[in-house]
Structures are given as C-alpha cells and as structure tokens.
Amino acid sequence: MPELSFRPLLASDLPQVLAIEQQAFSHPWSAQLYQDALERYDCWLVALAGRHAGHAVMQYVADEAHLLNIVIASDCQGRGLGRQLLEFVLAQATQRRCRECF
C-alpha cells in the first residue's frame, strides 16, 4: 500500500474536504460546520501517497472522546483507510486520557 500519513486538517484543506463530503454523504457537513470545527475540535486528515484520502473530527469532553465525523473519499474506500483513521484518532484520544469514545 502507498504511504499513509496523518496531519491536522487546515482551513486550506476545506475545498477538498467539502468535495469528499459531497461524494460520500447524502447529508454532508457544510463549509460553515467545518470552519467552526477547525476552531473548536481536533480535525485530522489522512493522506494516501500525499493525496487527501479522508478526514475525521473529534471532540473531547472531560475523559470522553466524541467522534463527530469520519469519512474516506469514495475512490479510496475498501482499502482499510477508515479503520486506520479511526485507530489513529482513538490513539489521540488515549493520549488525552479519554476513557470512552462515543
């Protein structure tokens, strides 16, 4: 499998984020929701061979993590990227000493 990497989501990523949302969901998040999320939550991007392949949004409340959104680009689905992205954000929650994820 090509190289997989994770990094924080940036405002400059929003056009690609919105394109992936439109492809993957019947009710995608809006640009405004993502702009708000960038200010309030942990937003992560997964890249496959340097290409934006998906993203996730996590909220932390006390010792709880809340997975608010996770998506893999439709042409990248079926390769285990969603599982790897989920494992990554859960590891981030564990580092924050979260005991549960919803």
Side-chain angles (χ1 to χ4, degrees):
M1 178 178 277
E3 182 182 337
L4 195 64
S5 60
F6 302 92
R7 68 166 172 80
L9 195 66
L10 306 171
S12 60
D13 296 317
L14 288 183
Q16 187 64 29
V17 164
L18 296 173
I20 289 171
E21 287 279 316
Q22 291 289 325
Q23 293 172 358
F25 293 124
S26 60
H27 296 84
W29 279 22
S30 67
Q32 186 61 55
L33 278 174
Y34 270 105
Q35 288 170 350
D36 292 344
L38 285 170
E39 295 174 15
R40 297 178 175 187
Y41 309 125
D42 276 10
C43 303
W44 293 96
L45 179 143
V46 59
L48 181 62
R51 178 180 166 257
H52 182 157
H55 48 273
V57 179
M58 293 287 285
Q59 176 187 27
Y60 303 104
V61 179
D63 65 348
E64 296 177 356
H66 297 257
L67 179 62
L68 302 179
N69 196 358
I70 188 168
V71 62
I72 298 298
S74 56
D75 63 332
C76 294
Q77 293 176 4
R79 301 180 193 180
L81 298 179
R83 178 186 48 78
Q84 290 179 288
L85 178 55
L86 179 61
E87 288 174 355
F88 175 83
V89 296
L90 290 175
Q92 298 301 308
T94 298
Q95 287 181 358
R96 289 175 167 260
R97 294 191 167 95
C98 292
R99 298 172 56 134
E100 294 185 273
C101 182
F102 299 95

